[in-house]
Amino acid sequence: MKIARLLILLVCMSLHAQDNYNLIVGTYTNACPSKGIYVYDFNASTGETKLKNTSEDVINPSYVTVSGDNKFLYSVNENGEESTVSSFKYNASTGKIELINKKDSKGADPCYIINDDKHVIVANYSGGTIAVFGKDKHGGITKAKQVIKHNGSSINKQRQESAHVHMVYFSPDKKYVFANDLGTDKIYVYKYDKDTDDEDNILILANTIDVKGGSGPRHLVFSPNGVFFYVLQELDGTLTSYSYVKGKVEKVQETTIVANGFTGQTGAADIHISHDGKYLYATNRGDANTITVFKVHANGRINQVQQITTEGQGPRNFAFGPKENYLLVANQISNDIIFFKRDKTTGLLTDTGKCIELCSPVCLVFTPAK
């Protein structure tokens, strides 16, 4: 009898452990006391969290990305003309983060970062550049292999006086890198050859997509089947749907995350789609501080099903929990991460009352805990 109870206890403990993941949070360190990068233990079933580890004195790691083997972490260090890009050893079991090296970001104010097995690619907002760094055998980053400078402007003279690259994003087949440029109202599509020895041709411009003048493309997301992608425009809250078939792009629909009659400041921020492709979510900062839920249809079109407060100010980045029954929103200005319960059938969100109080959270990334 005792053996049976022990076996049941061990099984329960094993199942509980399988529900645990790491939540990595990138923050700003110049607004309030912050150590930079935080790692929390996160239970995907209960939403319970516990601080696991932190970095030491990392400057403004506002966006982070983790290597495919879960052993290394890369961050931007958003610091004006002195901005850098950093690499770290990452121990998923303990959450420990150790600096390997850092390099000049090759453009002021890097605001987005992605990586694969060969490269770390950074979008520099104020510098208007894309920088491609190599990786060494120890997980560190090499000098920049390629730097691409965007030029141009658009109709909003205060925000679009020059190029502002706001995001780099791998296409589903990893053959292209999409780059949203808020300053020029364009999406740049680069053919990506990760294995070439010609460093000037790692990224080769294949296409540009014009968006509505003055809208300012910020973030995009592809549907899980890779047939559609959705672009969120920061300056006016426009949300545009496109089809994507064999590299050919066509506009499907244009809608908005701005509520009818809203007259305050708009600052659209982040956009993600559920793994089943049925629901799309987008945040709005400014005076709105909302997250909007859209139903996604088979033809790529969307319709709004919910819009609620993010229970804080400045919703920057957000992320689905590993089982997608939770959605976490990083409110940069109110210094908190708010936990919403997500109904997988309806897509609707409900505030759980749970939160993490943390200085200026920006980026949320989930990884396995080992």
Side-chain angles (χ1 to χ4, degrees), residues 118-119 132-135 142-147 199-200 202:
K118 289 289 185 69
H119 298 113
V132 182
F133 300 87
K135 290 184 176 182
T142 69
K143 67 177 181 65
K145 290 184 174 181
Q146 183 182 24
V147 179
E199 294 184 354
D200 291 332
I202 299 171

Side-chain angles (χ1 to χ4, degrees), residues 125-364:
Y125 178 83
S126 298
T129 61
I130 301 168
V132 182
F133 300 87
K135 290 184 176 182
D136 64 32
K137 62 182 180 180
H138 303 294
I141 49 179
T142 69
K143 67 177 181 65
K145 290 184 174 181
Q146 183 182 24
V147 179
I148 297 171
K149 177 79 169 90
H150 285 186
N151 295 292
S153 59
S154 194
I155 64 177
N156 185 325
K157 300 307 178 185
Q158 291 183 323
R159 294 293 308 279
Q160 297 179 307
E161 79 293 347
S162 64
H164 294 305
V165 185
H166 218 313
M167 184 188 215
V168 282
Y169 191 99
F170 287 120
S171 63
D173 58 12
K174 299 294 180 73
K175 293 181 179 179
Y176 295 88
V177 170
F178 283 61
N180 290 346
D181 194 319
L182 180 147
T184 63
D185 280 325
K186 293 181 185 292
I187 303 164
Y188 294 77
V189 184
Y190 291 92
K191 185 174 176 58
Y192 176 51
D193 186 351
K194 72 173 184 177
D195 296 318
T196 182
D197 292 325
D198 184 354
E199 294 184 354
D200 291 332
N201 289 309
I202 299 171
L203 295 178
I204 301 175
L205 186 62
N207 190 18
T208 59
I209 304 164
D210 294 324
V211 303
K212 184 172 67 174
S215 63
R218 179 183 172 94
H219 282 189
L220 66 80
V221 67
F222 269 83
S223 60
N225 62 11
V227 176
F228 303 99
F229 67 94
Y230 302 86
V231 180
L232 184 62
Q233 284 106 285
E234 176 176 339
L235 302 182
D236 68 355
T238 297
L239 176 54
T240 310
S241 311
Y242 295 91
S243 64
Y244 178 74
V245 181
K246 295 181 179 179
K248 185 178 180 181
V249 176
E250 291 186 2
K251 186 188 291 186
V252 172
Q253 181 188 11
E254 198 154 84
T255 184
T256 182
I257 64 169
V258 178
N260 289 335
F262 178 78
T263 58
Q265 182 182 358
T266 292
D270 200 16
I271 183 170
H272 294 285
I273 193 167
S274 57
H275 289 163
D276 60 11
K278 293 181 179 180
Y279 294 98
L280 181 143
Y281 300 76
T283 51
N284 191 4
R285 298 167 299 170
D287 297 318
N289 296 306
T290 57
I291 184 165
T292 306
V293 185
F294 294 87
K295 172 71 175 176
V296 181
H297 301 279
N299 61 2
R301 296 180 67 86
I302 58 177
N303 67 278
Q304 182 178 318
V305 295
Q306 185 186 32
Q307 185 174 87
I308 60 172
T309 174
T310 61
E311 304 294 340
Q313 293 179 287
R316 184 76 175 268
N317 181 224
F318 68 92
F320 299 109
K323 294 187 176 182
E324 295 201 333
N325 53 349
Y326 287 96
L327 185 147
L328 279 62
V329 179
N331 288 307
Q332 177 186 342
I333 296 174
S334 55
N335 301 318
D336 49 37
I337 302 169
I338 302 297
F339 291 45
F340 292 92
K341 189 71 174 176
R342 177 176 176 269
D343 187 311
K344 294 183 182 180
T345 302
T346 65
L348 301 181
L349 302 176
T350 307
D351 180 23
T352 64
K354 295 179 180 179
C355 78
I356 297 173
E357 294 183 357
L358 182 65
C359 167
S360 202
V362 177
C363 181
L364 307 177

Side-chain angles (χ1 to χ4, degrees), residues 112 117 180 183:
Y112 210 93
D117 60 325
N180 290 346

